[in-house]
């Protein structure tokens, strides 16, 4: 009897959650297909895809996303590894630091960047290249909670100390141990953090808008002020990109992990 009630409420809340999530998306999709009166067409998608600003902004955000992922891995993988191995008591402090992007509003952060790097001795905002360096650093900070926690969860699933001692007993140095032993065991965790970081950069608005860079987020915001159907098409395309990222995570995480050396 108790099992039956549990199943009913589970089905009820599950259905309610699905309706809450998919009904607005269906409404947006339906609206995006009705640009031509009386017809269901992909006209709004054709206009968006033929817009050179869309291509430029999307390619810019993709490039910045790849750069951000690369820098984040270079920073957080060795840092987390070293904390687990040598400084485990420092881990609670690092966890607090990594959630600061959730606490400090992005608007406050971006004004701090402009005030600091918009005047001597740095002056990074005077050139596009300097601003790109600045915005890449900003993206790394904003995506820090996702990348750090993904690697942190991966580190928890393996015995870092045992694997390190085994590698060093076979003659491996710190770099070889990190690259050849630790990294292969964290590939799914790093991939998860990378794709979430990438999706965050693709949809980020405030940082790129205030630093006046041609990113995808400001493009979506600007087109929404003058047009009706194209923003709906962009929303569906962004939604599809996010689901594609999640699908890649699931596809790769279903791979054979039996050959991983976890130390446990």
């Amino acid at each position: 009897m108790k099992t039956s009630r549990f199943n009913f409420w589970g089905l009820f809340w599950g259905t309610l959650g699905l309706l809450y999530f998919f009904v607005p998306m269906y409404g947006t999709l339906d609206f995006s297909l009705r640009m031509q009166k009386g017809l269901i067409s992909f006209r709004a998608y054709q206009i968006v895809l033929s817009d050179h600003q869309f291509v430029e902004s999307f390619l810019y955000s993709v490039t910045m996303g790849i750069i951000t992922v690369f820098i984040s891995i270079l920073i957080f993988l060795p840092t987390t590894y070293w904390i687990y191995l040598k400084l485990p008591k420092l881990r609670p402090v690092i966890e607090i630091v990594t959630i600061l992007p959730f606490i400090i509003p992005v608007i406050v952060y971006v004004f701090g960047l402009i005030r600091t790097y918009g005047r001597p001795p740095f002056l990074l905002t005077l050139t596009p290249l300097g601003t790109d360096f600045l915005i890449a650093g900003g993206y790394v900070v904003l995506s820090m909670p996702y990348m750090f926690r993904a690697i942190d969860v991966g580190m928890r699933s393996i015995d870092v100390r045992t694997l390190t001692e085994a590698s060093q007993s076979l003659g491996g140095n710190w770099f070889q141990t990190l690259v050849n032993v630790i990294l292969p065991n964290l590939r799914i965790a790093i991939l998860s953090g990378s794709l979430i970081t990438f999706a965050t950069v693709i949809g980020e608005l405030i940082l790129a808008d205030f630093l006046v860079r041609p990113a995808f987020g400001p493009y979506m915001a600007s087109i929404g002020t003058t047009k009706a159907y194209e923003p709906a098409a962009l929303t569906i395309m962004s939604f599809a990109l996010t689901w594609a990222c999640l699908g890649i995570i699931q596809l790769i995480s279903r791979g054979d992990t039996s050959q991983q050396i976890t130390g446990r």
Side-chain angles (χ1 to χ4, degrees):
M1 188 67 181
K2 290 183 178 178
T3 304
S4 176
R5 290 183 60 187
F6 173 79
N7 289 338
F8 169 76
W9 285 110
L11 182 63
F12 172 77
W13 289 114
T15 304
L16 191 63
L18 289 175
L19 290 175
Y20 179 82
F21 184 77
F22 281 106
V23 169
M25 293 307 302
Y26 172 75
T28 305
L29 174 64
D30 183 69
F31 182 74
S32 68
L33 297 176
R34 297 183 180 276
M35 187 173 186
Q36 293 178 298
K37 188 175 181 180
L39 293 176
I40 300 296
S41 69
F42 291 96
R43 181 59 180 164
Y45 295 86
Q46 292 174 349
I47 293 175
V48 168
L49 294 175
S50 62
D51 186 357
H52 69 92
Q53 289 186 349
F54 165 76
V55 177
E56 292 175 1
S57 62
F58 187 73
L59 289 179
Y60 178 84
S61 290
V62 168
T63 303
M64 296 308 298
I66 294 173
I67 293 174
T68 303
V69 167
F70 184 71
I71 296 174
S72 297
I73 293 174
L74 287 181
I75 293 175
F76 295 115
L77 177 60
T79 301
T80 310
Y81 172 61
W82 196 253
I83 290 172
Y84 266 82
L85 201 62
K86 297 292 185 181
L87 303 169
K89 293 183 179 179
L90 195 62
R91 188 165 166 271
V93 179
I94 300 300
E95 285 189 346
I96 294 175
V97 172
T98 58
I99 64 173
L100 287 180
F102 291 148
I103 301 172
I104 301 174
V106 180
I107 189 69
V108 175
Y109 176 57
V110 70
F111 270 108
L113 290 177
I114 294 173
R115 290 283 296 174
T116 304
Y117 298 101
R119 58 185 179 180
F122 302 107
L123 288 177
L124 289 179
T125 58
L126 291 185
T127 63
L129 182 61
T131 310
D132 287 342
F133 277 113
L134 188 60
I135 199 171
Y139 285 150
V140 171
V141 173
L142 292 182
S143 60
M144 177 171 59
Y146 311 113
M147 180 60 80
F148 172 78
R149 295 196 177 278
I151 295 177
D152 182 58
V153 170
M155 288 279 184
R156 291 185 188 183
S157 66
I158 62 176
D159 192 336
V160 176
R161 187 174 298 278
T162 300
L163 290 175
T164 302
E165 291 175 353
S167 174
Q168 291 180 338
S169 67
L170 295 174
N173 56 34
W174 293 108
F175 180 76
Q176 291 172 328
T177 301
L178 182 62
V179 174
N180 298 327
V181 179
I182 302 298
L183 182 60
N185 284 283
L186 297 177
R187 68 177 190 273
I188 295 175
I190 293 174
L191 177 65
S192 300
S194 299
L195 291 178
I196 295 174
T197 298
F198 183 80
T200 301
V201 173
I202 291 294
E204 201 283 330
L205 168 64
I206 299 175
L207 199 62
D209 192 31
F210 278 84
L211 291 176
V212 197
R213 299 307 297 147
F216 190 58
Y219 171 74
M220 289 184 64
S222 65
I223 200 174
T225 60
T226 57
K227 299 180 180 178
Y229 296 94
E230 288 84 347
L234 279 172
T235 301
I236 296 300
M237 293 167 68
S238 301
F239 180 75
L241 177 63
T242 304
W243 275 88
C245 292
L246 295 176
I248 292 173
I249 294 176
Q250 290 295 327
L251 182 65
I252 296 179
S253 61
R254 289 177 60 187
D256 184 14
T257 59
S258 60
Q259 296 180 357
Q260 288 185 325
I261 304 172
T262 63
R264 290 185 175 180

